[in-house]
Amino acid sequence: MIDIKRRAAELGFAATGIARLDRNPHADELDRWLADGHAGTMTYLHRQADKRKDPRLIMPKAQSAVVTLTNYCHEAGVASPAATPRVAQYAWSSDYHDVLGERLEQLASAIREIVPGSATRCYVDAGPVPERELAQLAGLGWIGKNMMLIHPEIGSFTFIGVVLTDAALEPDLPFEADRCGTCRRCLDACPTQAFAGPRDLDARACISYLTIEHRGEFTATEATQVGEWLFGCDVCQDVCPWNVSFARATLDPGFAPHPDIARPDVGQLVTMNEQEFERRYDGTPLTRPGHRGMRRNAAAVLTPSPPLHDVEPGNDL
Ligand code: B12
Ligand code: SF4
Ligand code: SF4
C-alpha cells in the first residue's frame, strides 16, 4: 500500500497508516465512560456508540481504514505561553473540516484508482468514527494518559482524518507500546482536574468542552474554571514531554494562523454584534459555539477569577 501512503504524503499528510476494521478492542472503556456521564450533554456520543464500538457498521462492507495525521502545531515546545486570552492552537486557522475534507476526498479518489471498484467514505471529527483508536491500530502512535493520540516523532498537535473503504488493504502493525511510562504531567497540570484517572477525562469539567460544546450560560463555577481560555484548551498537551521535545510548527499553507483568532481582542468580542462576528469568523472553528457562545466565553475570561480550590499547589503551570 505504498502508493496510497505516497499519495497521502504528496497531499500534505504528516503520517499515514492502515488499520483493518474489527470490533473496537476498547469498546468496554467507551461504555464505562458514557455510563459515568463523562460525555456531559454530548448526547450524540451515546447515539453513535454502537458504531464506535464496531466501526464495520459505519459503512456497508467496510474492511479498512486509511488513517492520516496532519500537524497543526503553531507554537512548539511552549509550556506556559504569556499571551492571554488563550485559544487552542487547533483553532488558529481555517476550519480543518473544510481543509482536510478536501484533501481526504483526493486521497479517497487515489484509493479508488489503486483498487478499482472500491468504495470510500471520508471522515474528520464529524461522524461515528473512533478516530484515536483507529490511529493507534494503524500504527500512528499510542493513546496518552491525556487521551491524545501521540505520534513518537510529531507529538499530539495533530488532526486525525480517516478514509473508510471496502477494499481489503494490507494493514500496518498497531502501535503497541505505551510511552507515557510513569509520567503524569498532563493529569497533574489540568487546571480543572478534569481527569478522573489516566485516559479517563470527565468532559463536564474540561475547558475544551465548556468553551466549545457546552450550550447556555456558565454557572459561576464554570466561568471560574474557564480561566484564561477563550476557546478550547491545550494545557494537557503543552506540558507533555513528547510535544515539548518533538512538536514543530507547521509550514502547511492550509493552516496559516489568523491573527484575529490566535491573538483575539477579548474586549471587542464581548460587544461584537452577530454580523461582525460572522464577517470575521465565518469558515473558522469559532463558529461552533457561535456568536452567543463566544460572547459568553469572552465575558468569563474578563471576569476576575478567584483561585480554584482544587488546583494543587506546585503544579508547573
Ligand atoms: C467528543 C470529543 C471531544 C470531547 C471529549 C474528549 C475526550 N477525551 O473524549 C471534548 C470536547 C472534551 C474534546 C476535547 C478535545 N479534543 Co476532541 N474529540 C471528540 C471526538 C468527536 C470523539 C471522542 C470520543 O469518542 N471520546 C470518548 C472516548 C472514551 O473515546 P476516545 O477518545 O476515542 O478514547 C478511546 C481510547 O482512549 C480507548 N482506550 C481507552 N483505554 C485505552 C488503553 C489503551 C492502551 C488503548 C490503545 C486505547 C484505550 O478507548 C476509548 C474508546 O474507544 C473526537 C473525534 C472522533 N470522531 O473520534 C475528537 C478528537 C478526539 N478531539 C481532538 C482534539 C484536537 C481535541 C482537543 C485537543 C481540542 C482542544 N485543544 O481544545 C481537546 C483535547 C481534550 C483531551 N485531552 O481529550 C482530536 C484529537 C487528535 C489526537 N491527536 O488525538 C480528535 C480525534 C478530532 C480530530 N479528528 O482530529 N474532544
Ligand atoms: S483540555 Fe485542558 S481542561 Fe481539558 S483535560 Fe486537557 S488540560 Fe484539562
Ligand atoms: S504528559 Fe506524560 S503522561 Fe501525559 S500524555 Fe504526555 S507522556 Fe503521557
Side-chain angles (χ1 to χ4, degrees):
M1 292 302 114
I2 295 164
D3 288 352
I4 293 177
K5 290 186 183 172
R6 190 183 303 131
R7 185 71 190 115
E10 286 165 5
L11 287 166
F13 293 111
T16 304
I18 296 172
R20 176 156 301 148
L21 292 181
D22 214 329
R23 192 172 156 77
N24 182 339
H26 296 97
D28 291 349
E29 276 84 349
L30 178 60
D31 276 340
R32 201 168 47 234
W33 189 79
L34 292 170
D36 287 345
H38 289 178
T41 56
M42 296 181 289
T43 48
Y44 70 94
L45 290 170
H46 291 269
R47 285 197 302 277
Q48 296 173 344
D50 286 347
K51 289 179 176 161
R52 285 175 186 275
K53 288 191 285 183
D54 191 344
R56 291 170 300 189
L57 302 174
I58 300 171
M59 171 188 168
K61 299 189 182 146
Q63 293 208 58
S64 314
V66 178
V67 188
T68 63
L69 297 184
T70 302
N71 175 22
Y72 65 75
C73 178
H74 297 291
E75 288 184 345
V78 186
S80 55
T84 56
R86 296 190 66 189
V87 174
Q89 296 197 40
Y90 88 92
W92 287 16
S93 39
S94 301
D95 196 330
Y96 57 98
H97 297 95
D98 302 335
V99 179
L100 292 181
E102 279 178 28
R103 288 183 196 172
L104 288 169
E105 284 301 341
Q106 287 177 272
L107 181 60
S109 96
I111 295 170
R112 294 194 303 272
E113 262 171 45
I114 293 164
V115 186
S118 60
T120 54
R121 275 197 210 169
C122 302
Y123 294 92
V124 55
D125 199 22
V129 181
E131 294 177 339
R132 301 201 257 218
E133 193 76 40
L134 290 178
Q136 184 269 333
L137 290 169
L140 294 176
W142 76 101
I143 294 175
K145 290 180 190 171
N146 59 5
M147 294 184 87
M148 300 301 295
L149 186 282
I150 307 175
H151 186 286
E153 288 157 16
I154 308 174
S156 69
F157 289 110
T158 59
F159 295 117
I160 303 174
V162 175
V163 184
L164 296 184
T165 175
D166 57 5
L169 305 176
E170 192 187 326
D172 288 291
L173 289 174
F175 195 102
E176 296 291 4
D178 171 3
R179 301 220 184 145
C180 286
T182 57
C183 175
R184 44 172 293 126
R185 281 189 211 186
C186 52
L187 309 180
D188 295 338
C190 173
T192 59
Q193 304 285 287
F195 290 100
R199 300 179 186 89
D200 187 4
L201 170 61
D202 185 346
R204 294 168 298 185
C206 173
I207 295 166
S208 183
Y209 167 84
L210 290 171
T211 55
I212 303 170
E213 300 297 330
H214 178 74
R215 300 290 168 260
E217 293 309 310
F218 287 145
T219 62
T221 309
E222 287 165 347
T224 305
Q225 285 176 313
V226 162
E228 64 191 6
W229 287 94
L230 180 64
F231 183 94
C233 169
D234 282 335
V235 174
C236 56
Q237 297 193 84
D238 282 339
V239 299
C240 177
W242 292 89
N243 285 330
V244 173
S245 300
F246 295 110
R248 295 287 169 266
T250 181
L251 300 172
D252 190 330
F255 293 101
H258 294 210
D260 257 2
I261 304 180
R263 300 278 175 263
D265 183 329
V266 76
Q268 271 186 14
L269 256 170
V270 174
T271 52
M272 196 177 282
N273 66 30
E274 194 163 358
Q275 222 178 358
E276 176 63 5
F277 180 84
E278 276 166 18
R279 193 186 66 75
R280 281 199 200 204
Y281 296 113
D282 195 32
T284 76
L286 273 53
T287 55
R288 185 152 175 95
H291 174 243
R292 221 185 153 120
M294 288 306 296
R295 275 181 61 160
R296 171 202 64 193
N297 295 351
V301 166
L302 286 174
T303 309
S305 304
L308 286 172
H309 322 290
D310 51 356
V311 173
E312 287 185 14
N315 77 34
D316 49 359
L317 280 186

